[in-house]
Amino acid sequence: MAKIIAIANQKGGVGKSTTTVNLAAVLGIHGKKVLCIDMDAQGNTTTGFGIKKKNVKVTVYDVLIGERPIKDAIIETEFKNVSVVTSSSSLAGADIELVELDNRTNRLKMQVLTCKQDYDYILLDCPPSLSLLTLNALCACDTVLIPLQCEFYSLEGLSQLIETIRLVRQRYNPTIDIEGILFTMYDSRLNLTAQVVREVKKHFPEKVFKTCIPRNVRISEAPSFGKPVCYYDKASKGAEYYEKLCLEVLARENVTRKKKTPAKV
């Protein structure tokens, strides 16, 4: 049964799609079956796996409005154990259409439940807004992974997102939790970086990933070749740090499962 992780932050350009693509690829290499669902109209996760959008017939848009089941939209990629439900430009207006539909906050959840048993992890790449699309992802997920750039405005965005997660827990998804906060585009030479890290760790000491993703040329180049960085250049620093992130995610999952396992009498 899959663990569902939403990769979310209403601020754009913080590395949500990059994290989705690269974490999925490394999890796949480690033998985990992964499904990525691209919930962003920009479709960066779709592009990041080298999928040509114009060739795709069924997208997450068709799934959300109820025209097709999610299994019709799943595409197996060329990368080990990784499949994708692609995005399309139609998602840009999906918020308006979803408002008029029944059960508008749980449409993704209902679809994901039909394929949850086929995967170990389902990663939801959310749009850079607190929209109905993001709300669908938060209602469907088990945990939220928050990529965070080390700058002042990111702290404001983080507090807004945490408040949204709190409200979702109260009203829609009582078991939702924070998977972790991931510092991206990390530059240890900057004083501001150290200040932001210190501030976040002060408020969320147990939720910050030890791994920080640095600025890396190979990470930036990989999407233009339609490959995760571990396939584009497995010897790069970018690949190394996403491997570390993957190991942290797996380790946290092992701890969680041990806690849920009843002690033998």
Side-chain angles (χ1 to χ4, degrees), residues 187-206:
D187 189 341
S188 60
R189 298 169 298 177
L190 302 178
N191 288 333
L192 181 59
T193 295
Q195 290 171 11
V196 171
V197 170
R198 195 160 51 243
E199 192 68 21
V200 173
K201 284 185 175 179
K202 183 171 77 176
H203 290 94
F204 306 98
E206 303 298 320

Side-chain angles (χ1 to χ4, degrees), residues 239-254:
E240 176 189 335
Y241 280 95
Y242 273 109
E243 169 72 17
K244 289 180 178 179
L245 173 63
C246 173
L247 293 176
E248 272 199 76
V249 170
L250 292 172
R252 290 186 180 200
E253 180 65 6
N254 288 336

